[in-house]
Amino acid sequence: TSREPRSLWLLRHAHALDARPGEADSGRELSPRGRERLALAAPRLAERLGPEALILCSPWRRALQTGQALADA
C-alpha cells in the first residue's frame, strides 16, 4: 500500500515579552507584536499543516499561546 508522505514542522513561539524581575521564564507571554504577527501568520500556517495536524507544544505560556492560535486558525 502507498502512504502519503508525512511532514514534521518545528515552529518557534511568536515574539514574547521580556521577563520581569523575579518572573519565571516559563511564564513569559507573547508580546503585542508577537500576537499581531501570529494572527497574520496562523491562518496560512494552519492551511499548510492541514486539518489533521497534531500540534504539540511546551507547557510554557508563550508556546501554549502560539500552539493555541494555530489550533484555532
Side-chain angles (χ1 to χ4, degrees):
T1 64
S2 67
R3 289 186 171 178
E4 189 172 321
R6 295 181 185 211
S7 297
L8 174 65
W9 291 52
L10 300 176
L11 304 174
R12 186 162 188 229
H13 60 79
H15 187 266
L17 296 171
D18 290 334
R20 291 177 285 231
E23 178 183 28
D25 191 45
S26 61
R28 290 174 45 216
E29 294 191 19
L30 296 181
S31 68
R33 182 178 94 183
R35 289 178 192 274
E36 181 180 314
R37 294 182 75 184
L38 180 58
L40 294 173
R44 291 190 306 270
L45 285 169
E47 184 178 328
R48 299 261 334 251
L49 292 171
E52 296 186 19
L54 173 63
I55 299 172
L56 304 173
C57 67
S58 156
W60 289 25
R61 183 172 293 164
R62 61 192 178 270
L64 287 169
Q65 291 171 322
T66 301
Q68 189 64 58
L70 287 172
D72 292 344

